[in-house]
Short mmCIF file of all heavy atoms in Angstrom, two decimals:
data_model
loop_
_atom_site.label_atom_id
_atom_site.label_comp_id
_atom_site.label_asym_id
_atom_site.label_seq_id
_atom_site.Cartn_x
_atom_site.Cartn_y
_atom_site.Cartn_z
N LEU A 299 -77.89 -2.55 -75.00
CA LEU A 299 -77.48 -2.60 -73.60
C LEU A 299 -78.68 -2.35 -72.69
O LEU A 299 -78.77 -2.91 -71.60
CB LEU A 299 -76.39 -1.55 -73.34
CG LEU A 299 -75.08 -1.74 -74.13
CD1 LEU A 299 -74.13 -0.57 -73.89
CD2 LEU A 299 -74.41 -3.05 -73.72
N ASN A 300 -79.64 -1.52 -73.17
CA ASN A 300 -80.86 -1.23 -72.41
C ASN A 300 -82.04 -1.34 -73.36
O ASN A 300 -82.10 -0.62 -74.38
CB ASN A 300 -80.81 0.19 -71.80
CG ASN A 300 -79.67 0.36 -70.83
OD1 ASN A 300 -79.65 -0.23 -69.77
ND2 ASN A 300 -78.69 1.19 -71.21
N ASP A 301 -82.98 -2.23 -73.06
CA ASP A 301 -84.18 -2.40 -73.89
C ASP A 301 -85.30 -2.90 -72.98
O ASP A 301 -85.64 -4.08 -72.95
CB ASP A 301 -83.92 -3.39 -75.02
CG ASP A 301 -85.08 -3.50 -75.99
OD1 ASP A 301 -86.03 -2.68 -75.86
OD2 ASP A 301 -85.06 -4.39 -76.85
N GLU A 302 -85.88 -1.96 -72.23
CA GLU A 302 -86.84 -2.32 -71.20
C GLU A 302 -88.06 -3.05 -71.76
O GLU A 302 -88.56 -3.99 -71.16
CB GLU A 302 -87.28 -1.06 -70.44
CG GLU A 302 -88.20 -1.34 -69.26
CD GLU A 302 -88.51 -0.07 -68.46
OE1 GLU A 302 -87.97 0.99 -68.80
OE2 GLU A 302 -89.30 -0.19 -67.51
N ASP A 303 -88.55 -2.63 -72.95
CA ASP A 303 -89.75 -3.26 -73.50
C ASP A 303 -89.43 -4.41 -74.44
O ASP A 303 -90.33 -4.98 -75.07
CB ASP A 303 -90.63 -2.23 -74.19
CG ASP A 303 -89.88 -1.47 -75.29
OD1 ASP A 303 -88.72 -1.84 -75.58
OD2 ASP A 303 -90.45 -0.52 -75.84
N MET A 304 -88.11 -4.75 -74.56
CA MET A 304 -87.68 -5.91 -75.34
C MET A 304 -88.21 -5.87 -76.77
O MET A 304 -88.56 -6.89 -77.36
CB MET A 304 -88.13 -7.20 -74.66
CG MET A 304 -87.62 -7.37 -73.23
SD MET A 304 -85.81 -7.48 -73.18
CE MET A 304 -85.57 -9.06 -73.97
N ASP A 305 -88.28 -4.67 -77.38
CA ASP A 305 -88.78 -4.57 -78.76
C ASP A 305 -87.64 -4.48 -79.77
O ASP A 305 -87.88 -4.25 -80.96
CB ASP A 305 -89.69 -3.36 -78.91
CG ASP A 305 -88.99 -2.04 -78.62
OD1 ASP A 305 -87.81 -2.07 -78.18
OD2 ASP A 305 -89.60 -0.96 -78.81
N GLY A 306 -86.41 -4.66 -79.30
CA GLY A 306 -85.26 -4.61 -80.20
C GLY A 306 -84.78 -3.21 -80.48
O GLY A 306 -83.78 -3.02 -81.18
N VAL A 307 -85.45 -2.19 -79.93
CA VAL A 307 -85.02 -0.81 -80.09
C VAL A 307 -84.47 -0.35 -78.74
O VAL A 307 -85.17 -0.43 -77.72
CB VAL A 307 -86.18 0.11 -80.53
CG1 VAL A 307 -85.70 1.55 -80.66
CG2 VAL A 307 -86.77 -0.38 -81.83
N CYS A 308 -83.24 0.10 -78.73
CA CYS A 308 -82.60 0.52 -77.48
C CYS A 308 -83.39 1.67 -76.86
O CYS A 308 -83.91 2.55 -77.56
CB CYS A 308 -81.16 0.95 -77.72
SG CYS A 308 -80.13 -0.36 -78.45
N ASP A 309 -83.46 1.63 -75.51
CA ASP A 309 -84.24 2.65 -74.80
C ASP A 309 -83.82 4.06 -75.20
O ASP A 309 -84.66 4.96 -75.34
CB ASP A 309 -84.09 2.49 -73.29
CG ASP A 309 -84.72 1.19 -72.80
OD1 ASP A 309 -85.50 0.59 -73.57
OD2 ASP A 309 -84.44 0.79 -71.65
N GLU A 310 -82.52 4.26 -75.42
CA GLU A 310 -82.04 5.61 -75.75
C GLU A 310 -82.46 6.04 -77.16
O GLU A 310 -82.38 7.23 -77.50
CB GLU A 310 -80.50 5.65 -75.64
CG GLU A 310 -79.95 5.36 -74.26
CD GLU A 310 -79.78 3.87 -73.99
OE1 GLU A 310 -80.21 3.04 -74.84
OE2 GLU A 310 -79.20 3.52 -72.95
N LEU A 311 -82.87 5.07 -78.00
CA LEU A 311 -83.22 5.37 -79.40
C LEU A 311 -84.73 5.33 -79.64
O LEU A 311 -85.18 5.53 -80.78
CB LEU A 311 -82.53 4.38 -80.34
CG LEU A 311 -80.99 4.33 -80.24
CD1 LEU A 311 -80.44 3.26 -81.16
CD2 LEU A 311 -80.40 5.69 -80.60
N GLU A 312 -85.52 5.03 -78.60
CA GLU A 312 -86.97 4.99 -78.77
C GLU A 312 -87.50 6.36 -79.20
O GLU A 312 -87.02 7.40 -78.72
CB GLU A 312 -87.64 4.56 -77.46
CG GLU A 312 -87.33 3.13 -77.01
CD GLU A 312 -88.21 2.10 -77.71
OE1 GLU A 312 -88.85 2.44 -78.72
OE2 GLU A 312 -88.24 0.94 -77.23
N VAL A 313 -88.53 6.36 -80.08
CA VAL A 313 -89.20 7.59 -80.52
C VAL A 313 -90.67 7.46 -80.14
O VAL A 313 -91.38 6.57 -80.63
CB VAL A 313 -89.07 7.81 -82.03
CG1 VAL A 313 -89.83 9.06 -82.46
CG2 VAL A 313 -87.61 7.92 -82.43
N ALA A 314 -91.12 8.32 -79.22
CA ALA A 314 -92.51 8.26 -78.77
C ALA A 314 -93.42 8.86 -79.84
O ALA A 314 -93.09 9.85 -80.49
CB ALA A 314 -92.66 9.00 -77.45
N GLY A 315 -94.58 8.25 -80.02
CA GLY A 315 -95.56 8.75 -80.99
C GLY A 315 -96.65 7.73 -81.23
O GLY A 315 -96.75 6.71 -80.56
N CYS A 316 -97.48 7.99 -82.23
CA CYS A 316 -98.58 7.09 -82.58
C CYS A 316 -98.07 6.03 -83.55
O CYS A 316 -97.58 6.36 -84.64
CB CYS A 316 -99.73 7.87 -83.21
SG CYS A 316 -101.08 6.80 -83.78
N THR A 317 -98.20 4.76 -83.17
CA THR A 317 -97.69 3.68 -84.01
C THR A 317 -98.81 2.93 -84.73
O THR A 317 -98.56 1.94 -85.42
CB THR A 317 -96.88 2.69 -83.14
OG1 THR A 317 -97.74 2.14 -82.13
CG2 THR A 317 -95.70 3.38 -82.48
N ASN A 318 -100.07 3.39 -84.58
CA ASN A 318 -101.23 2.75 -85.24
C ASN A 318 -101.31 3.24 -86.68
O ASN A 318 -101.58 4.42 -86.94
CB ASN A 318 -102.51 3.08 -84.48
CG ASN A 318 -103.71 2.31 -85.02
OD1 ASN A 318 -103.64 1.69 -86.09
ND2 ASN A 318 -104.80 2.35 -84.28
N VAL A 319 -101.07 2.34 -87.63
CA VAL A 319 -101.05 2.76 -89.05
C VAL A 319 -102.43 3.21 -89.52
O VAL A 319 -102.54 3.87 -90.57
CB VAL A 319 -100.55 1.60 -89.94
CG1 VAL A 319 -99.10 1.26 -89.61
CG2 VAL A 319 -101.44 0.37 -89.79
N TYR A 320 -103.47 2.88 -88.77
CA TYR A 320 -104.82 3.28 -89.17
C TYR A 320 -105.23 4.58 -88.51
O TYR A 320 -106.33 5.08 -88.74
CB TYR A 320 -105.83 2.17 -88.80
CG TYR A 320 -105.53 0.87 -89.49
CD1 TYR A 320 -104.96 -0.18 -88.77
CD2 TYR A 320 -105.78 0.70 -90.85
CE1 TYR A 320 -104.67 -1.38 -89.39
CE2 TYR A 320 -105.49 -0.51 -91.47
CZ TYR A 320 -104.93 -1.54 -90.75
OH TYR A 320 -104.64 -2.72 -91.37
N ALA A 321 -104.40 5.11 -87.66
CA ALA A 321 -104.74 6.36 -86.98
C ALA A 321 -104.49 7.55 -87.89
O ALA A 321 -103.67 7.50 -88.82
CB ALA A 321 -103.91 6.49 -85.71
N CYS A 322 -105.23 8.63 -87.60
CA CYS A 322 -105.07 9.84 -88.41
C CYS A 322 -103.70 10.46 -88.21
O CYS A 322 -103.16 11.11 -89.11
CB CYS A 322 -106.17 10.85 -88.06
SG CYS A 322 -107.83 10.29 -88.50
N ASN A 323 -103.12 10.27 -87.03
CA ASN A 323 -101.83 10.89 -86.72
C ASN A 323 -100.72 9.84 -86.63
O ASN A 323 -99.80 9.97 -85.83
CB ASN A 323 -101.92 11.69 -85.43
CG ASN A 323 -102.33 10.83 -84.25
OD1 ASN A 323 -102.99 9.82 -84.42
ND2 ASN A 323 -101.94 11.24 -83.03
N PHE A 324 -100.81 8.77 -87.45
CA PHE A 324 -99.77 7.75 -87.46
C PHE A 324 -98.40 8.37 -87.75
O PHE A 324 -98.26 9.17 -88.68
CB PHE A 324 -100.10 6.68 -88.51
CG PHE A 324 -98.95 5.75 -88.79
CD1 PHE A 324 -98.45 4.90 -87.81
CD2 PHE A 324 -98.35 5.74 -90.05
CE1 PHE A 324 -97.39 4.05 -88.08
CE2 PHE A 324 -97.28 4.90 -90.32
CZ PHE A 324 -96.80 4.04 -89.34
N ASP A 325 -97.38 7.99 -86.94
CA ASP A 325 -96.01 8.50 -87.11
C ASP A 325 -95.12 7.31 -87.44
O ASP A 325 -94.84 6.46 -86.58
CB ASP A 325 -95.52 9.17 -85.82
CG ASP A 325 -94.13 9.78 -85.96
OD1 ASP A 325 -93.51 9.63 -87.04
OD2 ASP A 325 -93.65 10.39 -84.97
N GLN A 326 -94.69 7.26 -88.71
CA GLN A 326 -93.90 6.09 -89.12
C GLN A 326 -92.52 6.04 -88.49
O GLN A 326 -91.85 5.02 -88.51
CB GLN A 326 -93.78 6.06 -90.65
CG GLN A 326 -93.02 7.25 -91.23
CD GLN A 326 -92.91 7.16 -92.75
OE1 GLN A 326 -93.38 6.18 -93.35
NE2 GLN A 326 -92.30 8.17 -93.36
N THR A 327 -92.07 7.17 -87.89
CA THR A 327 -90.77 7.15 -87.21
C THR A 327 -90.88 6.71 -85.76
O THR A 327 -89.88 6.42 -85.11
CB THR A 327 -90.13 8.55 -87.25
OG1 THR A 327 -90.95 9.47 -86.49
CG2 THR A 327 -90.00 9.05 -88.68
N ALA A 328 -92.14 6.66 -85.25
CA ALA A 328 -92.32 6.30 -83.84
C ALA A 328 -92.04 4.82 -83.63
O ALA A 328 -92.42 3.98 -84.45
CB ALA A 328 -93.72 6.66 -83.38
N THR A 329 -91.36 4.50 -82.51
CA THR A 329 -91.10 3.10 -82.14
C THR A 329 -91.79 2.74 -80.84
O THR A 329 -91.86 1.56 -80.50
CB THR A 329 -89.58 2.88 -81.97
OG1 THR A 329 -89.09 3.70 -80.91
CG2 THR A 329 -88.83 3.20 -83.25
N ASP A 330 -92.30 3.71 -80.11
CA ASP A 330 -92.90 3.48 -78.80
C ASP A 330 -94.21 4.26 -78.74
O ASP A 330 -94.21 5.50 -78.75
CB ASP A 330 -91.95 3.93 -77.69
CG ASP A 330 -92.33 3.34 -76.35
OD1 ASP A 330 -93.20 2.46 -76.31
OD2 ASP A 330 -91.73 3.76 -75.33
#
Side-chain angles (χ1 to χ4, degrees):
L299 297 174
N300 299 292
D301 186 8
E302 185 175 358
D303 56 7
M304 302 297 292
D305 62 353
V307 179
C308 301
D309 293 346
E310 299 85 353
L311 303 177
E312 294 278 15
V313 177
C316 176
T317 61
N318 187 348
V319 296
Y320 300 105
C322 294
N323 59 334
F324 168 65
D325 183 357
Q326 64 179 358
T327 65
T329 62
D330 197 9

